Amino acid sequence: MSVTAVAPERYNHRTAEPKWQAWWTENRCFEATEDASRPKYYVLEMFPYPSGRIHMGHVRNYTMGDVIARFRRAAGYNVLHPMGWDAFGMPAENAAIERGIHPKGWTYDNIASMKAQLKNMGLAIDWSREIATCDPSYYRHEQAMFIDFMKAGLVERRVSLVNWDPVDMTVLANEQVIDGKGWRSGAPVEKRELAQWFLKITAFAPDLLSALDGLTTWPDKVRLMQKNWIGRSEGMRFTFELEDEAGAVLPEGLTVYTTRHDTIFGATFCAVSADHPLVKERAIQDAELETFRKDVAALGTSEENIERAEKKGYALGIYARHPFDASKRLPVYAANFVLMGYGEGAIFGCPGHDQRDWDFATKYNLPILPVVTPKGVAAILGDKPFLEKDGEEAVLVNSDFLNGMTVPAAKNEVARRMEAAGMGTRKVNFRLRDWGVSRQRYWGCPIPIIHCEVCGIVPVPKKELPVELPEDVKFDKPGNPLLHHPTWRHVNCPQCGGKATRETDTFDTFIDSSWYYARFCSPKADVPVDAAAAKYWMGVDQYIGGVEHAILHLLYSRFYARAMGVTGHLEMDEPFKALFTQGMVIHETFRTPEGEWVLPSDAVQKDGVWVYVVTGEALEVGGVEKMSKSKKNVVDPDTFIETYGADTARWFMLSDTPPERDIEWTSAGAEASWRFVQRIWRLVNDAATHATGNHAATDLRRATHKVIAAVTDDLENLRFNRAIARIYELSNALQAGLAAKDSAVREAADALVLLMAPMMPHLAEECWAVLGHSTTVVDTPWPK
RNA sequence: GCGGGCGUGGCGGAAUGGUAGACGCAACGGACUUAAAAUCCGUUUUUCGCAAGGAAGUGCGGGUUCGAGUCCCGCCGCCCGCACCA
C-alpha cells in the first residue's frame, strides 16, 4: 500500500541547499552581537589549517559544532559560532619550495576554496568574524602581547640544548617531539645548543595542574594526560659534600633531587648527567670521558634507543660523603640515564628500591642494600628491587635512626634533619619545561625583537607594529629565507639609532592558536581582545576537536589565557569551559595484487568481491584505518555533498557511532542516510495533507512528546547518535500514525522537523514550508 | 615499566542496579513491477520445538544484591597515552 495518494517529487538537495544557505546569509541569521538580555553560548571547533581541501574529519568536527550551535540557538541562547584559519605553517613553505608558489598566495587560495566547501555544508557560522592568523591585523596583536609578556617577566632568551629537526631545519618544543621524532617531519630529532626565546609556562605549572580539577566537563583522559605532562613530584633537593680518591674535600658539592630521601641509607652510588657541569669540566682534561660524553649524546632520545640502551656509566674518581654516616662514601659516576633537564641532573642511586639503579649497580658491581620492607617481614635481597605497592605499609630497616619508621615518616624525618643541618630543602618539582617558541622558518609570525650591538635585545616599539613578513623572499636555498633577505633584517636600533638586526626567527605556530578563541570575541578590535566583548562571550562553552591536541594546543591555550590575564589582556583563567574530543573517521583500505593502494571510489563490489574498476582485478581488503592520503582510503566530502547533499553527510556523521569513538565511513551507511532524507520528505508531504489535530492523547502524541524530551536531553549531552535513534523512532511512529489516521499527525510532523533541524537544516526548512508554516525553522523555538 | 580505557547479535551500537539487544546497517521472506531500482509489510542473539512454549546468553572465574551488561575482587584479550622524570 502506498502511503501517499500522490507520490511527491523527490527531495532535491541541489536546489534546496544553496537556496537556504543564501537565505541564511542574506538574513544574517548567524551573525552574533552581544545581548545582555539573553544567555550566551559560545561554541567553537578547533579551526582548520588551510591545506586546500576539507576532509571527512573536518565534516565530522564541524557538523557536531553546528548541531550544538543550532540547537542552543533554537533553545533561546545567544550563540557565537565563529570560524577562522590556522594559516601559518610549514606546508605553505614546502609548496613554495617545491612549486615556486608564494606561501601567502598558496594559503589564501586554500582559504578561499575551503571556505566555499565549508559553506556547502550549511554551517551556522558567523563569517563576519572570520580571522586568519597569517593576516598582519591578527599577528600584530600577537607581537604586542609578546612584548607585554616580556615586560611581565614571562619571556626569556637563553642558550639551551634544544630539539633540532634536521628535515624541517627548525627547533621543536618538547611537546612536539613524539618518540624522539619531529611531530611533522617524523625525522629523528637531534640535540643542539641554540639561543632561543622561551615562554615561561613553568611559572604557571602549579596552577595549570590544580585548575585541572575544576575542568569537570573535560574528558578525564585529557585531564590525566595534562596532569602527567605537567608531572608534579614532591621531593628534596640536597647537597652532598664531595671528596677525591684520597679523601680530601673538594670545593664544590653535588646537589641532587630525590623523591625517596627515606632510602638515603640504601644509597650506594651517585650518578650525574653527561651534560652536568662536573662532567663537562673534567672532560676537558680527560679524553676518555669526552668520548663517553659523545657516545651518550649520539645515542639520542628516540624511543628504540632508550629501550635498547644499556645503563652506562663512567666513574669520575670522586666520592660523595654520606650525609648521616661518616663511614660511607658513594662513588660518583657520569651516567647515560640521568637527564640534565630534570631536577638537578644528578641523583643518588638506591639499587635496592629502584629498577634503574638496580640495573646500574648490577652492571658495575655496586653494593645493593635493602632498606625498605613490608611491615612484619624481614628484609631480604631478592632478584629485583623491592617497590612497595600503593597503600602497602612498608617500614625502614638497616637505616640507623629511621629503623621501624613508615616510608612517609622516614621521609619527614630525613627532610627535618637535613633542613636543620642546612644540607637541603623539601622541593616540589615539575616535569613541565618552558616553551621554546623560536622557529627558523619564514611562514610564521615575526618575533618583534631587534638585536643591537650596543643596547642588546630591544623590543620593537609598539607603534611600529606589526613587524610584517617581507613578501619578496626566495626559497632557493635551505634554511630560513628571512636570514637570506638582502635588506629586511637590517634596521636601526630603536633605542640608540645605531646599526642593528631584526630577529629572523618566527613564532611557533602554536602561539597563533593559543589565543584565537579570545580574538573571535572582537575580531576587528585594535587591541588584542576587547574587554567588554570578552567579558560577555568568554569562556568557550563547548570546544570540540581531536584528542591529538590533548597536550600541545590545549595546554598552550590554558597558559596563554593566564599570561594574558597577568598582562591585562583577558580576564579569565580557563578558556574552554567544556571540551569534547571527537573520534576519527576511518575507512576500509583496498590494495591491488601488486600492492597499490586504491581509492574507495575506484572499488566496486561484485558478487561479494571487491573489484578495481580500472583493471577489473580483485582487490585485497585491508584494515579499517584512519582516512589518509597515503593509503588512499579517503572519501572526498565535496563529491559526496554534490551527489547526496550536505544534510545526508551531516546525518551520517552523527548516526550510530558515539561521537567520541572512531566512525567507519561506509557507502552503504551513507546511502541509508540519503534514503532517510527521502523518507522524511515523503512522510512530511503525506502529513501535510492531514488536518491539524485536536490534542487528544493519542499513541502518536505520547510518542512525540517522549521523543522531544529524549532528543533534548541527548543533544544537551552531545549524544548525537542516540538523538538520531529517537528521531528514527518518531518517524516510525509517524508512519504508523499516518496509516492509523491518528489525529496527532501534524503535531508529530512539526516536531520531527524541528528535532532534526540541527542535523539536517536545509531539509528541515523545506519540510517546514511543506507543512504550511510561513516562518522559518531557524527562527522557530525548540519544541517542548 | 607506569597510567588510563574498552570487551554486548553478522556489523555500528542501546540499556539512572530493574523486560538485554532500542535505533540503524546487512541478510532473508513477502507485496507492488514485464523486470529492476525505489517503496511498503514481515523475520532476524543462540538453541530445543510443527506450534504453544522452554532453556541458555553481555570476554573468563568468583563475589555483593530480592535483582548485575552495569557495583567489587582475580584473570584473559584489545586499544590509547607517557616513558631512563630520580
Side-chain angles (χ1 to χ4, degrees):
Chain A
M1 165 206 118
S2 172
V3 173
T4 43
V6 181
E9 282 180 30
R10 279 198 161 188
Y11 172 70
N12 186 347
H13 67 268
R14 288 197 176 88
T15 53
E17 293 188 349
K19 181 176 88 186
W20 286 106
Q21 285 161 20
W23 195 89
W24 295 325
T25 305
E26 278 160 28
N27 290 277
R28 302 181 156 199
C29 291
F30 309 121
E31 290 185 21
T33 48
E34 285 96 295
D35 175 0
S37 71
R38 282 190 297 158
K40 67 93 185 178
Y41 197 91
Y42 183 2
V43 56
L44 184 67
E45 301 95 73
M46 291 181 185
F47 66 166
Y49 177 79
S51 57
R53 316 262 318 150
I54 63 167
H55 53 67
M56 282 297 179
H58 291 127
V59 174
R60 194 178 193 202
N61 193 181
Y62 300 136
T63 297
M64 287 178 193
D66 205 53
V67 169
I68 296 166
R70 287 177 180 271
F71 165 65
R72 292 289 174 175
R73 186 177 193 279
Y77 288 89
N78 187 24
V79 170
L80 173 60
H81 185 215
M83 180 60 73
W85 308 96
D86 189 13
F88 273 135
M90 289 282 306
E93 228 169 302
N94 290 340
I97 295 162
E98 287 159 22
R99 283 176 275 161
I101 313 162
H102 195 277
K104 184 179 176 184
W106 184 85
T107 301
Y108 278 100
D109 285 352
N110 286 349
I111 287 174
S113 51
M114 284 178 79
K115 186 175 175 182
Q117 289 185 301
L118 291 181
K119 286 199 159 182
N120 286 342
M121 281 180 65
L123 301 175
I125 282 171
D126 181 355
W127 285 106
S128 74
R129 291 175 186 253
E130 179 181 5
I131 53 179
T133 58
C134 65
D135 192 312
S137 71
Y138 181 83
Y139 68 67
R140 60 176 281 229
H141 300 294
E142 200 165 297
Q143 293 171 338
M145 283 196 290
F146 181 76
I147 292 166
D148 291 340
F149 286 4
M150 268 182 105
K151 287 180 191 152
L154 294 171
V155 174
E156 267 185 21
R157 183 172 173 82
R158 40 176 199 258
V159 175
S160 76
L161 213 53
V162 295
N163 307 299
W164 177 259
D165 185 322
V167 170
D168 284 349
M169 305 234 326
T170 186
V171 164
L172 297 176
N174 284 356
E175 290 82 355
Q176 293 158 7
V177 179
I178 317 289
D179 292 345
K181 294 176 178 127
W183 71 287
R184 272 205 72 260
S185 71
V189 165
E190 298 166 7
K191 291 280 176 196
R192 285 202 184 179
E193 278 204 340
L194 279 177
Q196 291 283 294
W197 290 102
F198 285 87
L199 287 177
K200 293 184 73 175
I201 190 169
T202 53
F204 297 94
D207 185 43
L208 287 168
L209 183 70
S210 61
L212 285 172
D213 291 337
L215 296 174
T216 51
T217 42
W218 279 40
D220 290 342
K221 185 173 139 182
V222 173
R223 289 199 287 171
L224 190 71
M225 282 166 74
Q226 292 216 352
K227 185 178 171 224
N228 291 339
W229 186 263
I230 296 167
R232 182 181 192 273
S233 66
E234 280 180 22
M236 272 210 81
R237 182 175 61 181
F238 67 91
T239 306
F240 286 100
E241 281 183 5
L242 293 176
E243 61 182 48
D244 64 14
E245 200 76 53
V249 187
L250 298 176
E252 72 264 57
L254 176 63
T255 303
V256 299
Y257 180 74
T258 180
T259 55
R260 291 304 303 269
H261 32 294
D262 57 308
T263 64
I264 186 68
F265 287 97
T268 56
F269 65 95
C270 283
V272 301
S273 164
D275 292 311
H276 196 276
L278 216 53
V279 179
K280 279 189 174 174
E281 180 189 302
R282 279 169 175 71
I284 301 166
Q285 317 275 334
D286 184 342
E288 206 182 327
L289 181 56
E290 184 56 30
T291 311
F292 175 81
R293 269 172 50 76
K294 283 193 176 134
D295 287 350
V296 172
L299 201 62
T301 51
S302 86
E303 187 186 14
E304 49 212 316
N305 285 346
I306 286 166
E307 217 145 80
R308 230 179 285 133
E310 252 184 286
K311 305 279 172 288
K312 266 192 197 163
Y314 184 96
L316 295 175
I318 54 177
Y319 298 83
R321 291 179 170 172
H322 194 282
F324 299 118
D325 185 347
S327 71
K328 281 187 181 170
R329 61 179 205 172
L330 317 171
V332 180
Y333 288 81
N336 63 346
F337 63 88
V338 182
L339 306 173
M340 198 56 219
Y342 188 80
E344 301 296 321
I347 61 159
F348 75 78
C350 177
H353 306 284
D354 183 293
Q355 184 64 53
R356 192 195 47 198
D357 294 347
W358 174 284
D359 295 345
F360 190 79
T362 309
K363 175 156 183 190
Y364 292 99
N365 284 318
L366 295 160
I368 299 171
L369 224 63
V371 290
V372 183
T373 181
K375 197 167 190 179
V377 179
I380 41 153
L381 188 57
D383 55 358
K384 58 179 192 228
F386 168 70
L387 310 160
E388 75 272 18
K389 294 190 187 96
D390 251 5
E392 186 178 359
E393 176 117 300
V395 292
L396 275 291
V397 292
N398 300 330
S399 294
D400 195 356
F401 55 84
L402 299 175
N403 284 337
M405 287 186 188
T406 62
V407 168
K411 280 185 181 173
N412 216 23
E413 179 60 16
V414 170
R416 194 188 64 77
R417 290 196 183 216
M418 284 194 172
E419 279 171 346
M423 279 187 270
T425 52
R426 283 173 241 240
K427 186 166 190 292
V428 171
N429 226 338
F430 291 92
R431 210 190 77 117
L432 185 69
R433 300 271 73 95
D434 279 332
W435 177 15
V437 295
S438 300
R439 296 292 178 274
Q440 293 68 42
R441 307 303 319 178
Y442 164 72
W443 194 235
C445 172
I447 299 177
I449 293 293
I450 288 164
H451 298 276
C452 171
E453 283 170 28
V454 180
C455 311
I457 284 161
V458 183
V460 174
K462 279 201 179 170
K463 62 181 188 304
E464 288 175 26
L465 295 182
V467 177
E468 282 200 50
L469 276 176
E471 290 187 25
D472 53 335
V473 284
K474 288 183 189 150
F475 294 91
D476 50 358
K477 45 188 162 186
N480 184 352
L482 291 177
L483 204 54
H484 309 142
H485 191 281
T487 56
W488 181 78
R489 59 189 299 234
H490 300 290
V491 289
N492 293 326
C493 172
Q495 270 178 27
C496 69
K499 278 195 177 176
T501 54
R502 286 191 189 283
E503 172 74 52
T504 57
D505 287 353
T506 53
F507 281 136
D508 181 358
T509 56
F510 276 101
I511 289 190
D512 310 336
S513 53
S514 292
W515 68 285
Y516 79 108
Y517 50 86
R519 183 67 182 167
F520 275 136
C521 298
S522 54
K524 295 175 178 73
D526 59 7
V527 290
V529 183
D530 177 81
K535 192 172 169 55
Y536 181 77
W537 291 115
M538 289 302 289
V540 176
D541 294 279
Q542 183 65 61
Y543 196 39
I544 312 171
V547 74
E548 67 273 18
H549 292 108
I551 295 172
L552 292 164
H553 162 61
L554 291 167
L555 189 60
Y556 293 149
S557 293
R558 295 182 63 223
F559 157 69
Y560 240 79
R562 285 164 172 78
M564 287 169 76
V566 168
T567 50
H569 291 293
L570 189 61
E571 251 183 81
M572 51 111 37
D573 283 340
E574 288 298 338
F576 312 121
K577 287 203 249 177
L579 172 71
F580 187 84
T581 53
Q582 99 271 9
M584 298 182 298
V585 182
I586 56 177
H587 197 283
E588 275 183 317
T589 49
F590 300 105
R591 291 180 102 153
T592 63
E594 293 79 42
E596 299 271 315
W597 298 104
V598 170
L599 287 166
S601 53
D602 290 338
V604 286
Q605 210 165 12
K606 266 188 194 167
D607 309 320
V609 181
W610 287 96
V611 171
Y612 188 23
V613 287
V614 177
T615 60
E617 58 193 340
L619 290 169
E620 188 190 321
V621 180
V624 182
E625 295 175 47
K626 180 184 182 179
M627 283 190 178
S628 74
K629 280 180 195 160
S630 62
K631 294 198 172 159
K632 288 203 178 172
N633 59 338
V634 289
V635 175
D636 177 39
D638 237 15
T639 314
F640 184 86
I641 288 171
E642 165 61 23
T643 313
Y644 293 99
D647 286 337
T648 301
R650 295 166 60 115
W651 188 257
F652 177 71
M653 274 306 179
L654 302 167
S655 301
D656 300 340
T657 304
E660 69 277 10
R661 291 196 209 166
D662 291 351
I663 187 170
E664 184 183 355
W665 181 279
T666 60
S667 52
E671 279 164 27
S673 295
W674 182 75
R675 284 201 301 272
F676 185 68
V677 168
Q678 299 298 342
R679 178 158 170 246
I680 292 279
W681 184 242
R682 284 193 306 275
L683 285 173
V684 166
N685 273 277
D686 195 4
T689 65
H690 283 64
T692 308
N694 57 12
H695 295 276
T698 64
D699 286 350
L700 181 54
R701 187 147 198 257
R702 272 190 291 270
T704 300
H705 285 273
K706 228 172 123 179
V707 169
I708 290 173
V711 170
T712 305
D713 185 50
D714 287 336
L715 290 185
E716 277 170 358
N717 293 291
L718 277 49
R719 295 187 294 244
F720 306 115
N721 57 317
R722 291 214 318 202
I724 280 180
R726 298 295 166 217
I727 290 170
Y728 273 111
E729 277 177 12
L730 181 54
S731 67
N732 291 342
L734 175 58
Q735 188 150 341
L738 284 164
K741 301 218 176 337
D742 190 300
S743 65
V745 156
R746 291 294 292 267
E747 187 181 351
D750 279 357
L752 178 63
V753 170
L754 293 175
L755 293 179
M756 74 181 191
M759 293 77 134
M760 301 201 284
H762 314 86
L763 176 66
E765 294 289 3
E766 289 289 306
C767 287
W768 198 242
V770 165
L771 287 169
H773 299 284
S774 55
T775 54
T776 52
V777 172
V778 78
D779 286 321
T780 302
W782 191 251
K784 280 188 188 126

